[in-house]
Amino acid sequence: MQSRWWCCRLVAWTWVWSLALLGAWCIPANEVNLLDSRSVIGDLGWVAYPKNGWEEIGEVDEDYAPIHTYQVCRVMEQNQNNWLHTNWILTEGAQRVFIELKFTLRDCNSLPGGVGTCKETFNMVMKESRYIKIDTIAADESFTELDLGDRVMKLNTEVRDLGPLTRKGFYLAFQDLGACIALVSVRVFYKRCPFLVKSLAEFPDTIPGSEASQLVEVVGRCVNNSLPLYEPPRMHCSAEGEWLVPIGKCVCQPGFEEINGSCQVCKVGFYRSLLESVACSKCPPHSAARQMGATTCSCEDAYYKIDSDPPNMACTPPSPVSVVRKDHTGKSSIALSWAEPDRPNGIILEYEIKYFEKEQDSSYTIIKSKETEMVVEGLKPSSVYIFQVRARTSAGYGAFSRRFEFQTSPYLTATSERAQASIVAVAITLALVLLAVSGFLHLHISILMMCLCLLPNRRCGYSKAKQDPEEEKMHFHNGHIKFPGVRTYIDPLTYEDPNQAVHEFAQEIDVSFISIERIIGAGEFGEVCSGPLRLPGKREMQVAIKTLKAGYTEQQRRDFLWEASIMGQFNHPNIIRLEGVVTKSKPVMIITEYMENGSLDTFLKKNDGQFTVIQLVGMLRGIASGMRYLSDMGYVHRDLAARNILVNSNLVCKVSDFGLSRVLEDDPEAAYTTRGGKIPIRWTAPEAIAYRKFTSASDVWSYGIVMWEVMSYGERPYWEMSNQDVIKAVEENYRLPGPMDCPEALYHLMMDCWQRERNSRPKFDEIVCLLDKLIRNPSSLKKLVNSSHRVSNLLVEHASAEGECNTLSQTVGEWLDSIKMGRYTELFMEGGYSSLETVAQMTSE
Ligand code: AMP
């Protein structure tokens, strides 16, 4: 009787509450309901056992829709075991589901006396093939008689996840052992990463994996008329139904440009040739695109350029070099000369010599010379080569000369080599005799020169311009520069006029399209602001605006725009993108994409401890991918540090701050070295500090430091140690210890980046590959750096090539030897100190 009374109170209470609850339904987009007791119309069909245990209270809301509430309150009776079984719940392929319960529970202490069996929990159970308890559910808040009187609703919400599920469906059950509960709603759902279009790639609805820490990698599909840039776009679907770690992107195919998230065809008169270009460009002077969707423009009549000229190069009237002469032939070289063109189209800046082996014109090489002569080296003996020369003036390149055929000398045969050797021997003997008699220094020199001239393969006092070293040659195959997949960075210094370099690589933007809204930072040359950029026919976008403050010198203007000339050559999702420059009005501006979260070091300090390891690795992967692109382009950054990485709202990290010496002058971390020049010591490889050997391998060292900054949430590398102490410690093979909670795999990678021998450091493509592997297999990140490798303000000794990083791998004997106390080894052994771990635990007593 008493039990009945409590039930009635529960019902009344629940009814009022349910009405309030129904108004607040709102299911997030990434959740898919498998069961929601609140939305079932008609009978729920759940089974209660025994019959007098759980009972359904049939109520209706204000629209007369049924509300399914189950309650039980047999607190007055001993040995309760009341079950409520749902019907079969289909999983729809999900391997991990969530169960959300809303319920109220009576506070046992508030019941009148004599209710010793009263419980304040109940069990949630599932059954695939057999019953498995999911959890004991307790209430955060239980209600009392007073709450009922005041009509205060103490509703509890509990969510549990369940997985991995192996069948197509399962049952849920609730077991009551003597509590007073009203189950107001039960919702079973799974999470999915919803369909997404990002960077022109579509990612389908994706169901996460069965493990809570698992990430499912999904390859995106490029939308119409777009292609993957460098690598297929990928995203990772987390167990929480969130898309994480974006990698790669799609870009519009040549002849199209991205406008409002889709690829639109280039208009007549415009073209787009490279995947890396952002938009269709107007055809260069004296050329035209007569059809929509052009990938190149064709020259007007009587204007020329050659296939290998960049598409943005103007067509020019001919200024041909008419005759090319052969001055000298070797077995692997030919010396050429030519006369200046009669009517050059302006002052001649340089000549280009194009050559290829006869009948192999799909592969050719271009070299440059400022003189009217050149020795072309590296040729095959006894082979016919075709040569063409053209001049470049400020108006561009003239047409190539007609083809000239020259043949290299044959290999020396054994007899001719012997003959030549005897000539050399005779000449040397003659020289020695002459030396003996002459005694004049200048004679020594000329005689020795004569001897050397007779040696095979030796050029004698040849004063002509020599062919540039290998890295300055450009090799072409079928009209494309032969670098593995990527263009090469062109040093703006190679342009005599810096303004030409800026306009070659950066688009001029009319200042009327930009609105400055707020100041976001301070750069060396002036303020950094942000605001919208509204280019005609393009979607408005938020940009960062770097300004050059008034009163600048011409040199400062050049230095300021230098960065744009570099940045404009890059197009990669992890490199800050240049939108354009404003040079035709004042102030002069550099416009780049806007990065909502600013610089990485400040961002990490502000969000200390807030990210999952996978998110941090995702950021590192992005930086490594940007650096891989730069090193493939032949660009060495020299100032890679977290302060020079920018972060956008999706946590995508992009490398910024280009411009070499300027940047180093500007960097507050850069210090003067004894050899002159400013260097950010803490981030820089020892060989770059010692003798300015900056290479992609020294960038890899800096990348290791950035990894350390990221994993320690913006901690200063080497803390407050002085620069001199840092140089000394690194020189003595000490390295930064692993940051707190840093996965061991990442610390090993950092240590590899800090190998003294620069060729032993990993390359950026290897780093990207390793980080991808770790992202795909998050369990590999579970093992954290051992605390003995993480002595918070000491450095650890860098170990041998195996990548070991602790001194504990030494024996006690080796350690004593290293501190010149080897004679005590026996004493240590006798005292039981046979390993360095035991030594470390020694007390002063
Ligand atoms: P910088 O002169 O490039 O070092 O820029 C100075 C500061 O301006 C940086 O530290 C950032 O806080 C901010 N900043 C520069 N570029 C951007 C950008 N593209 N988006 C957002 N903030 C930026």
Side-chain angles (χ1 to χ4, degrees):
M1 185 58 206
Q2 204 175 10
S3 150
R4 229 37 261 149
W5 180 80
W6 287 113
C7 288
C8 293
R9 299 300 306 253
L10 270 169
V11 173
W13 173 88
T14 308
W15 181 79
V16 176
W17 218 100
S18 300
L19 287 182
L21 182 78
L22 285 168
W25 283 8
C26 177
I27 297 167
N30 66 345
E31 293 179 5
V32 182
N33 281 348
L34 298 170
L35 163 72
D36 187 348
S37 64
R38 295 170 300 187
S39 64
V40 174
I41 305 199
D43 192 9
L44 260 180
W46 293 2
V47 179
Y49 179 84
K51 291 264 181 274
N52 58 356
W54 291 91
E55 59 183 329
E56 185 172 4
I57 307 299
E59 291 294 340
V60 288
D61 66 10
E62 66 259 47
D63 296 326
Y64 296 98
I67 302 166
H68 301 284
T69 297
Y70 281 92
Q71 60 183 37
V72 62
C73 195
R74 301 184 68 86
V75 289
M76 307 305 289
E77 291 147 72
Q78 302 283 336
N79 300 330
Q80 290 301 302
N81 188 8
N82 303 308
W83 285 79
L84 176 64
H85 242 266
T86 69
N87 28 23
W88 180 246
I89 302 168
L90 279 172
T91 59
E92 296 180 5
Q95 292 169 292
R96 181 160 213 88
V97 297
F98 297 79
I99 301 148
E100 180 196 78
L101 304 180
K102 288 188 188 289
F103 63 95
T104 61
L105 200 132
R106 178 72 196 234
D107 179 350
C108 286
N109 289 332
S110 73
L111 289 170
V115 285
T117 61
C118 176
K119 300 275 183 315
E120 289 189 348
T121 59
F122 61 100
N123 293 330
M124 180 155 67
V125 177
M126 65 89 74
K127 183 185 169 201
E128 272 188 315
S129 50
R130 59 194 176 85
Y131 285 99
I132 297 171
K133 181 169 156 184
I134 301 172
D135 206 354
T136 301
I137 309 290
D140 289 335
E141 290 196 282
S142 49
F143 69 90
T144 63
E145 181 63 11
L146 276 179
D147 298 322
L148 285 176
D150 296 346
R151 299 175 74 82
V152 174
M153 307 309 159
K154 290 190 167 165
L155 189 78
N156 295 283
T157 303
E158 292 289 329
V159 180
R160 298 289 181 275
D161 59 341
L162 187 59
L165 294 171
T166 53
R167 307 248 165 141
K168 285 192 175 148
F170 64 97
Y171 292 102
L172 264 188
F174 304 95
Q175 182 192 23
D176 163 57
L177 298 171
C180 195
I181 320 156
L183 203 49
V184 177
S185 87
V186 177
R187 186 163 79 92
V188 181
F189 58 95
Y190 65 89
K191 294 191 180 179
R192 55 146 188 208
C193 296
F195 173 83
L196 174 76
V197 181
K198 191 179 165 69
S199 305
L200 294 176
E202 281 179 0
F203 297 89
D205 261 346
T206 301
I207 298 180
S210 57
E211 297 296 333
S213 67
Q214 194 177 343
L215 293 181
V216 177
E217 185 182 89
V218 180
V219 177
R221 195 180 68 83
C222 292
V223 299
N224 284 351
N225 298 315
S226 71
L227 299 167
L229 182 68
Y230 308 125
E231 56 185 324
R234 283 175 283 152
M235 291 279 263
H236 296 82
C237 178
S238 77
E240 285 303 311
E242 289 167 334
W243 289 109
L244 298 177
V245 201
I247 292 173
K249 67 171 187 175
C250 304
V251 291
C252 294
Q253 66 186 49
F256 290 80
E257 64 183 337
E258 185 184 341
I259 296 177
N260 297 337
S262 71
C263 293
Q264 316 256 328
V265 71
C266 294
K267 289 182 286 191
V268 170
F270 287 75
Y271 75 103
R272 186 165 157 268
S273 61
L274 300 170
L275 287 185
E276 289 88 352
S277 331
V278 178
C280 301
S281 310
K282 206 164 179 318
C283 285
H286 304 296
S287 68
R290 294 190 177 82
Q291 309 231 309
M292 291 195 332
T295 56
T296 52
C297 303
S298 32
C299 290
E300 291 168 4
D301 288 347
Y303 285 84
Y304 302 92
K305 66 181 189 182
I306 57 157
D307 293 348
S308 59
D309 284 342
N312 60 350
M313 187 182 276
C315 299
T316 52
S319 63
V321 173
S322 50
V323 180
V324 178
R325 281 183 306 275
K326 179 186 74 173
D327 292 348
H328 168 85
T329 317
K331 71 177 164 58
S332 62
S333 64
I334 293 178
L336 304 172
S337 64
W338 54 89
E340 260 193 27
D342 295 339
R343 285 176 290 114
N345 193 5
I347 297 165
I348 293 176
L349 302 174
E350 63 180 1
Y351 293 94
E352 262 191 14
I353 300 95
K354 172 181 172 183
Y355 66 93
F356 51 89
E357 206 178 335
K358 195 175 176 186
E359 275 149 25
Q360 315 241 328
D361 46 354
S362 61
S363 281
Y364 57 88
T365 303
I366 286 189
I367 47 180
K368 293 175 193 262
S369 167
K370 294 219 186 280
E371 327 267 332
T372 53
E373 52 199 12
M374 157 70 69
V375 182
V376 180
E377 294 178 322
L379 307 178
K380 290 192 208 157
S382 295
S383 306
V384 177
Y385 283 85
I386 307 293
F387 296 88
Q388 289 179 282
V389 179
R390 66 174 177 172
R392 180 166 81 87
T393 67
S394 51
Y397 283 98
F400 269 113
S401 66
R402 68 177 178 80
R403 296 173 168 208
F404 291 85
E405 272 188 36
F406 302 121
Q407 186 168 4
T408 47
S409 318
Y411 263 128
L412 288 175
T413 59
T415 17
S416 65
E417 270 180 3
R418 261 199 307 278
Q420 202 153 358
S422 29
I423 296 170
V424 172
V426 170
I428 291 175
T429 319
L430 187 67
L432 291 173
V433 171
L434 284 175
L435 267 175
V437 293
S438 74
F440 292 103
L441 185 64
H442 77 272
L443 197 61
H444 293 195
I445 297 167
S446 35
I447 292 169
L448 281 171
M449 290 299 287
M450 187 178 89
C451 299
L452 292 172
C453 287
L454 291 169
L455 290 168
N457 269 335
R458 183 66 72 162
R459 271 187 318 278
C460 280
Y462 210 86
S463 64
K464 292 184 175 180
K466 264 190 68 194
Q467 182 176 311
D468 290 344
E470 190 64 22
E471 62 261 32
E472 300 200 358
K473 271 195 222 171
M474 286 204 278
H475 302 277
F476 293 83
H477 185 74
N478 290 332
H480 297 288
I481 302 175
K482 280 206 298 188
F483 284 99
V486 201
R487 291 180 306 137
T488 316
Y489 158 75
I490 300 167
D491 187 342
L493 259 184
T494 54
Y495 285 75
E496 265 162 50
D497 175 6
N499 283 318
Q500 197 198 344
V502 174
H503 287 106
E504 183 106 15
F505 300 119
Q507 185 195 351
E508 178 73 28
I509 294 180
D510 192 302
V511 73
S512 63
F513 300 142
I514 303 163
S515 315
I516 293 185
E517 282 181 346
R518 59 194 182 93
I519 299 176
I520 53 170
E524 190 205 356
F525 294 96
E527 283 151 350
V528 183
C529 309
S530 69
L533 168 68
R534 298 183 193 92
L535 288 176
K538 296 243 166 106
R539 193 171 37 174
E540 176 182 314
M541 67 182 297
Q542 204 62 19
V543 286
I545 305 146
K546 283 192 180 181
T547 55
L548 175 61
K549 57 183 170 244
Y552 54 83
T553 62
E554 189 48 34
Q555 182 61 40
Q556 283 172 322
R557 180 182 190 272
R558 227 177 277 164
D559 288 350
F560 176 71
L561 291 174
W562 180 269
E563 186 174 15
S565 312
I566 295 174
M567 223 192 293
Q569 298 185 44
F570 304 140
N571 184 356
H572 187 274
N574 298 102
I575 305 289
I576 192 82
R577 191 180 63 247
L578 177 73
E579 296 299 335
V581 290
V582 177
T583 63
K584 303 227 160 96
S585 59
K586 286 189 181 163
V588 175
M589 300 175 192
I590 296 178
I591 315 296
T592 63
E593 65 181 306
Y594 177 61
M595 301 292 284
E596 296 82 351
N597 283 314
S599 58
L600 178 61
D601 61 333
T602 319
F603 176 65
L604 288 170
K605 282 179 209 154
K606 257 196 246 158
N607 295 284
D608 195 354
Q610 298 300 305
F611 301 116
T612 60
V613 169
I614 282 292
Q615 282 174 310
L616 296 177
V617 178
M619 292 183 204
L620 290 174
R621 198 272 177 200
I623 301 167
S625 171
M627 290 307 298
R628 173 177 63 180
Y629 173 82
L630 292 184
S631 70
D632 285 350
M633 289 272 286
Y635 181 82
V636 179
H637 191 289
R638 299 187 180 211
D639 197 12
L640 178 60
R643 66 184 167 280
N644 290 334
I645 305 290
L646 291 167
V647 189
N648 74 10
S649 55
N650 293 327
L651 292 193
V652 176
C653 288
K654 307 202 181 195
V655 181
S656 82
D657 273 67
F658 301 98
L660 209 88
S661 50
R662 177 195 80 65
V663 171
L664 293 178
E665 288 303 320
D666 183 16
D667 188 339
E669 284 292 351
Y672 285 99
T673 62
T674 45
R675 285 172 160 252
K678 275 178 111 183
I679 287 181
I681 301 289
R682 285 154 212 274
W683 283 263
T684 306
E687 74 277 4
I689 297 177
Y691 51 98
R692 302 189 70 76
K693 183 76 191 163
F694 285 97
T695 57
S696 290
S698 61
D699 277 351
V700 165
W701 178 290
S702 315
Y703 178 81
I705 305 285
V706 172
M707 287 185 74
W708 190 90
E709 291 183 276
V710 169
M711 298 315 295
S712 57
Y713 281 92
E715 182 65 81
R716 181 170 164 74
Y718 310 95
W719 304 275
E720 294 316 316
M721 279 172 73
S722 70
N723 279 342
Q724 272 320 312
D725 286 346
V726 170
I727 295 176
K728 199 158 165 278
V730 170
E731 206 37 55
E732 286 171 8
N733 236 9
Y734 285 96
R735 299 289 184 266
L736 284 164
M740 189 154 61
D741 295 334
C742 176
E744 197 174 73
L746 293 180
Y747 186 52
H748 275 163
L749 178 56
M750 288 179 211
M751 290 296 261
D752 278 347
C753 295
W754 302 328
Q755 298 269 4
R756 172 190 296 278
E757 169 51 51
R758 69 173 187 280
N759 294 321
S760 309
R761 295 173 203 155
K763 307 283 176 293
F764 279 114
D765 56 351
E766 292 162 345
I767 297 178
V768 172
C769 173
L770 176 73
L771 294 177
D772 276 348
K773 263 197 202 156
L774 297 178
I775 290 170
R776 273 199 297 271
N777 182 14
S779 57
S780 58
L781 293 164
K782 283 207 175 116
K783 187 164 182 217
L784 301 184
V785 175
N786 184 324
S787 58
S788 63
H789 302 189
R790 212 188 47 66
V791 198
S792 63
N793 27 45
L794 294 175
L795 301 179
V796 291
E797 192 172 350
H798 193 274
S800 52
E802 296 90 66
E804 282 293 322
C805 46
N806 64 81
T807 52
L808 298 181
S809 58
Q810 278 182 319
T811 65
V812 173
E814 282 165 351
W815 171 65
L816 287 170
D817 282 343
S818 74
I819 55 171
K820 311 236 168 349
M821 307 245 295
R823 60 186 180 283
Y824 295 116
T825 307
E826 227 168 275
L827 217 66
F828 271 69
M829 295 299 144
E830 279 168 16
Y833 295 104
S834 55
S835 71
L836 283 181
E837 283 93 337
T838 50
V839 175
Q841 283 152 15
M842 238 181 190
T843 65
S844 54
E845 278 165 33

